[in-house]
Amino acid sequence: MTIFKEAEKYFFDIYNRFPIDVDRGKGVYLYDKNGARYLDFLAGIAVNALGYAHPVINTAIRKQLERNMHLGPYFVQDVQVELAQKLVSLTSFKKVFFTNSGTEAIEGLLKAVKKWGNQNNKKEIIAFRGSFHGRSLGALSITMQEKHQKNFRPLLPDTHVVPFNDISAFENAVNDKTVAVFYEGITGEGGVRLVSAAMLEAMNKAREKYGFLIIADEIQSGTGRTGSFYYYEQTGLVPDAIASAKGLGGGMPLGAFMVNKRLEHIFNRGEHGSTYGGNPLACAAGLAAVDLISTTPFLKNVHKKGKYFTTLLTELADEFNDVILEVRGKGLMIGVEVRQKAAELMRESFNEGLLFNIAGGTTLRFIPPLIVDNNDIDTASEKLRLTFKKLFR
Ligand SMILES: Cc1ncc(COP(=O)(O)O)c(C=O)c1O
């Protein structure tokens, strides 16, 4: 029986998996057991920011492994503090809470928001249509996509959806009962859509007027992905708190939420916690990853490589202007929206040895390891062009 048949037997049929019997990964490539290799522009959904088996990450993990794997919340260790220190020094936030996933970071922030709202007589949470913040019941309540929510209602009360980039709808939705606005500066699962500068300005103004909290979900757009350490740095809007994960752990399961001074004292002892959150092994990997990614040359390079890739994709869009609607994104978070056959394009590219996936139904999403070089980008673009030719010419 193939591994895929075995998997069908034991697991819920919930994932659209690539038919690769994975052996290992190295750099930007994934290898199957027959030695075939795939150029991986999905990177474990933006997790493998430094690719597979990066020596710096592996060394950090090995070193920590010899000390201890797990301690739990009754202890604190240098790697955890050093990573928190680093994150605070890279941002304007005051406090950090480590989690095991992005969803848990959002979940923790929902609790912080709820308590702050109870103290300030505010309770309405706003999120944008097409958002993706996670799949636990709290995070799902602000994941404003019908397909994700429909079979799981009732969800959290007092959550309101605003159409994406619709400023007047946003202005109508906010009032002095608004406790928080959750947003992704660039949507991930929603299809690599950028919140407009005008919308960000409207959010900023409304915060000044009503005093609510602005929470940025940087789970996908963060840790160097867009050419700055966090994407919000490229916008005029500084959020009150952010959720981070994916690339943060350099491949290990690590998330975090960070808050500014408005929320720094929000939790009393015992009001929030996690057995695994801030696992030392994950923090050691995270510290190594963040140290590498957060340097100015590294981030500048992400920006440059993103520009290069965007130029090639724009050329492709000119050649196939009957199919490609738009190329958009920042740094190495790039979407190519197509009129048709998104799934076929993904499948055919897989046959060519290139991995990416579809976001928002019609957008080819490219979130390669941040260590890709221009040759890898050339190869990916060539493979993609071949696929377009096969399907459309
Ligand atoms: C923007 C965003 N928020 C939240 C999540 C949920 O994170 P996780 O799957 O680590 O729980 C994701 C995952 O894709 C995401 O892209």
Side-chain angles (χ1 to χ4, degrees):
M1 207 188 276
T2 66
I3 189 170
F4 312 112
K5 281 277 165 218
E6 288 272 307
E8 257 176 45
K9 200 165 130 195
Y10 297 111
F11 299 128
F12 293 109
D13 183 19
I14 48 178
Y15 293 125
N16 218 344
R17 301 192 203 262
F18 285 105
I20 304 176
D21 192 353
V22 175
D23 180 37
R24 71 203 154 83
K26 180 72 191 147
V28 295
Y29 282 95
L30 203 57
Y31 293 82
D32 75 9
K33 288 185 178 154
N34 297 316
R37 64 176 198 172
Y38 297 86
L39 183 55
D40 187 357
F41 273 40
L42 179 55
I45 324 186
V47 168
N48 301 317
L50 297 174
Y52 294 100
H54 193 286
V56 171
I57 303 287
N58 284 8
T59 303
I61 291 175
R62 272 192 214 105
K63 213 170 117 197
Q64 181 60 35
L65 196 55
E66 293 302 320
R67 303 174 72 199
N68 53 274
M69 241 194 275
H70 172 79
L71 290 172
Y74 286 98
F75 301 90
V76 69
Q77 199 171 22
D78 44 18
V79 280
Q80 299 165 321
V81 176
E82 282 168 37
L83 179 56
Q85 220 166 30
K86 181 87 196 175
L87 292 172
V88 165
S89 76
L90 289 167
T91 62
S92 52
F93 300 110
K94 298 276 184 207
K95 294 274 193 240
V96 180
F97 182 89
F98 287 125
T99 66
N100 308 287
S101 68
T103 299
E104 285 168 81
I106 293 290
E107 216 48 53
L109 284 170
L110 280 167
K111 279 176 71 179
V113 158
K114 212 158 175 119
K115 183 169 178 191
W116 187 86
N118 287 340
Q119 293 168 342
N120 290 280
N121 196 27
K122 295 175 187 291
K123 61 177 186 178
E124 295 177 4
I125 297 176
I126 287 176
F128 295 99
R129 180 158 297 139
S131 59
F132 187 93
H133 297 294
R135 295 172 186 274
S136 60
L137 287 172
L140 187 59
S141 305
I142 54 167
T143 288
M144 298 304 191
Q145 297 189 49
E146 187 58 16
K147 69 174 179 192
H148 291 308
Q149 289 190 338
K150 69 177 178 197
N151 289 328
F152 301 98
R153 296 196 175 103
L155 293 164
L156 278 185
D158 304 313
T159 58
H160 299 272
V161 59
V162 165
F164 193 72
N165 277 343
D166 186 334
I167 294 171
S168 62
F170 173 77
E171 286 171 348
N172 285 333
V174 283
N175 55 58
D176 55 15
K177 288 280 166 240
T178 306
V179 60
V181 177
F182 282 75
Y183 79 106
E184 296 160 85
I186 305 178
T187 68
E189 306 311 301
V192 195
R193 292 175 197 282
L194 281 74
V195 177
S196 67
M199 186 70 210
L200 292 166
E201 200 187 319
M203 285 161 65
N204 219 352
K205 278 206 178 121
R207 171 172 59 181
E208 272 169 34
K209 182 166 176 195
Y210 297 113
F212 53 73
L213 300 161
I214 294 183
I215 315 281
D217 180 340
E218 292 262 10
I219 288 165
Q220 196 162 140
S221 58
T223 50
R225 170 80 24 213
T226 67
S228 50
F229 194 71
Y230 285 112
Y231 174 63
Y232 77 83
E233 297 164 40
Q234 294 179 51
T235 72
L237 180 67
V238 180
D240 296 292
I242 65 169
S244 186
K246 293 196 184 280
L248 183 64
M252 291 291 282
L254 181 67
F257 65 84
M258 298 177 235
V259 302
N260 70 8
K261 60 179 186 319
R262 299 178 77 192
L263 288 173
E264 71 173 311
H265 302 296
I266 194 67
F267 291 126
N268 296 333
R269 190 163 283 195
E271 275 189 337
H272 197 56
S274 165
T275 299
Y276 291 118
N279 169 272
L281 212 53
C283 283
L287 184 59
V290 170
D291 270 343
L292 235 156
I293 293 170
S294 62
T295 63
T296 307
F298 189 97
L299 292 170
K300 270 199 174 144
N301 222 356
V302 170
H303 174 73
K304 254 169 66 187
K305 291 184 290 195
K307 269 212 140 148
Y308 180 60
F309 194 19
T310 303
T311 306
L312 297 186
L313 291 171
T314 305
E315 281 169 23
L316 186 77
D318 288 341
E319 189 179 341
F320 291 91
N321 59 9
D322 51 330
V323 187
I324 297 177
L325 277 167
E326 194 181 16
V327 177
R328 54 178 181 254
K330 283 275 177 201
L332 288 167
M333 182 170 182
I334 306 175
V336 174
E337 188 173 357
V338 293
R339 283 179 213 275
Q340 48 168 318
K341 295 195 179 171
E344 287 94 326
L345 282 161
M346 181 181 79
R347 252 178 271 130
E348 272 304 320
S349 296
F350 160 76
N351 291 333
E352 290 295 329
L354 172 67
L355 306 179
F356 60 84
N357 79 335
I358 309 298
T362 52
T363 298
L364 318 182
R365 175 178 52 171
F366 300 96
I367 38 179
L370 306 180
I371 55 159
V372 280
D373 61 24
N374 283 2
N375 284 334
D376 301 323
I377 291 171
D378 286 339
T379 307
S381 305
E382 278 158 27
K383 286 178 186 295
L384 194 63
R385 187 164 172 270
L386 264 174
T387 305
F388 268 84
K389 272 181 91 171
K390 236 191 235 173
L391 285 177
F392 298 110
R393 293 290 182 267

